[in-house]
Amino acid sequence: MKISEQVAFVTGANRGLGRYLTLELLSRGAKVYAGARNPDSINIPGVIPIKMILRILKR
């Protein structure tokens, strides 16, 4: 599989493992959407930031 032809969605892309994975995918030519609670915290050129809110619904 050629990473340069792929699209990836990475959660937690603003820090830690998510950030590392985002940078690696970008360096290999992938189009990367990055999810974080605060999309302004994603300061990686070439990334498309997405606001992500996860909630657990109780019944």
Side-chain angles (χ1 to χ4, degrees):
M1 170 173 47
K2 292 184 180 181
I3 296 295
S4 62
E5 299 173 358
Q6 304 302 313
V7 175
F9 182 83
V10 180
T11 60
N14 56 333
R15 61 188 178 137
L17 185 58
R19 183 177 177 83
Y20 175 81
L21 179 60
T22 299
L23 291 169
E24 188 64 29
L25 288 166
L26 282 173
S27 74
R28 294 178 185 223
K31 182 175 185 174
V32 181
Y33 291 88
R37 287 182 211 147
N38 179 5
D40 294 333
S41 67
I42 301 171
N43 57 358
I44 304 170
V47 169
I48 301 160
I50 303 290
K51 184 171 186 167
M52 197 172 88
I53 300 172
L54 298 176
R55 293 193 176 117
I56 297 173
L57 301 176
K58 295 182 181 179
R59 294 181 186 207

